[in-house]
Amino acid sequence: MDLRQDVTMDPSGFVLLADYVPGIVQEIRYYSTYNFVGERINGYEEPCAILTKEAARALQGAANELNVQGYRLKVFDAYRPANAVKHFVLWGVDDLDQRMKPFFYPDLEKQELFRQGYIASQSSHSRGSTVDLTLLDMKTGKEVDMGSPFDLFSEVSHPDYPGVTQEQYENRTFLQKAMVRHGFEPIFCEWWHFSLRDEPYPDTYFEFPVSAEYLRR
């Protein structure tokens, strides 16, 4: 895995997602210790979702549509600094660190997470137009049942996995169709992962921190 990347620190094309989608729920997992690494990830200085302006506008449209149908969006991750991805890669070569294996990759070894596409050595998140999210039912205030939790690296998290219930499959499909209608594309191995189809920086990776303060300088 090559850790070298052409990166920039320029955040001028980015916005705080909450400024575009005021009702967005945020649980930025990589700012916390409850993630597959088990510690706060490099580059996450504040628990806020940041996206390119174009992705934020598109997500605003999806959120508005879903609100009318009784749902809110809950975001787990959005823009991810390139140095956070390097943190993942370095964690991946440390065979002794298995503390979060039972929770996030119980049936796979670390090296398989990269080979099977769950973790990338160069992530679309670092281009700023990719988001990880789910639905909240506005009546209950609870997450909609998708059949697997966020960042469970397993076949069961594949959007088309046949082993989930009909209701869980329909929930995944409902989210995916809403996101696709607003310009996002899914990924084959994670029901929660969507990238803006016409992303503004398809060949540029960013390394500025996840920080509202940095963004507003």
Side-chain angles (χ1 to χ4, degrees), residues 18-32:
D19 289 345
Y20 278 67
V21 190
I24 201 84
V25 179
Q26 301 181 57
E27 185 184 334
I28 308 303
R29 287 285 186 86
Y30 302 136
Y31 178 80
S32 76

Side-chain angles (χ1 to χ4, degrees), residues 201-216:
Y201 306 111
D203 302 310
T204 305
Y205 294 82
F206 295 83
E207 199 161 68
F208 64 86
V210 175
S211 164
E213 181 182 359
Y214 188 91
L215 203 65
R216 287 171 167 158

Side-chain angles (χ1 to χ4, degrees), residues 13-21 24 49-64 73 128-131 182 184 196 200:
F14 289 74
V15 295
L16 286 174
L17 181 56
D19 289 345
Y20 278 67
V21 190
I24 201 84
I50 293 171
L51 283 174
T52 61
K53 294 173 185 176
E54 292 82 357
R57 288 192 196 102
L59 199 59
Q60 181 185 55
N64 289 342
L73 288 173
S129 296
T130 293
V131 62
H182 290 274
F184 290 88
L196 189 66

Side-chain angles (χ1 to χ4, degrees), residues 16-209:
L16 286 174
L17 181 56
D19 289 345
Y20 278 67
V21 190
I24 201 84
V25 179
Q26 301 181 57
E27 185 184 334
I28 308 303
R29 287 285 186 86
Y30 302 136
Y31 178 80
S32 76
T33 58
Y34 186 60
N35 56 60
F36 64 87
V37 175
E39 61 192 44
R40 184 183 296 180
I41 305 304
N42 293 344
Y44 284 80
E45 296 182 359
E46 294 182 53
C48 58
I50 293 171
L51 283 174
T52 61
K53 294 173 185 176
E54 292 82 357
R57 288 192 196 102
L59 199 59
Q60 181 185 55
N64 289 342
E65 176 188 325
L66 290 163
N67 286 167
V68 172
Q69 299 179 73
Y71 299 95
R72 296 171 71 187
L73 288 173
K74 179 176 181 178
V75 173
F76 297 111
D77 194 33
Y79 160 69
R80 180 184 305 164
N83 64 327
V85 179
K86 292 175 185 176
H87 191 162
F88 292 166
V89 173
L90 293 172
W91 166 85
V93 298
D94 181 1
D95 291 334
L96 297 179
D97 185 353
Q98 301 283 334
R99 59 191 138 153
M100 303 304 284
K101 181 175 173 62
F103 308 103
F104 293 98
Y105 53 107
D107 303 318
L108 296 173
E109 297 306 318
K110 281 187 175 183
Q111 291 73 20
E112 294 177 280
L113 302 179
F114 294 88
R115 286 197 296 268
Q116 295 191 27
Y118 295 110
I119 306 175
S121 57
Q122 199 171 41
S123 174
S124 61
H125 280 275
S126 301
R127 301 195 298 266
S129 296
T130 293
V131 62
D132 295 334
L133 46 69
T134 191
L135 295 172
L136 280 183
D137 187 319
M138 292 170 72
K139 290 182 180 178
T140 65
K142 297 180 179 179
E143 290 184 24
V144 170
D145 185 1
M146 297 294 184
S148 71
F150 167 67
D151 263 3
L152 177 65
F153 301 137
S154 165
E155 211 174 16
V156 72
S157 294
H158 293 199
D160 60 354
Y161 180 69
V164 296
T165 68
Q166 182 66 26
E167 180 183 5
Q168 291 164 344
Y169 184 82
E170 289 174 356
N171 290 339
R172 294 178 178 194
T173 302
F174 177 71
L175 173 61
Q176 184 175 115
K177 285 183 176 179
M179 294 295 287
V180 169
R181 277 195 296 272
H182 290 274
F184 290 88
E185 293 182 334
I187 192 173
F188 77 96
C189 61
E190 298 172 347
W191 60 257
W192 55 81
H193 178 114
F194 299 91
S195 296
L196 189 66
R197 188 177 304 114
D198 297 319
E199 59 181 308
Y201 306 111
D203 302 310
T204 305
Y205 294 82
F206 295 83
E207 199 161 68
F208 64 86

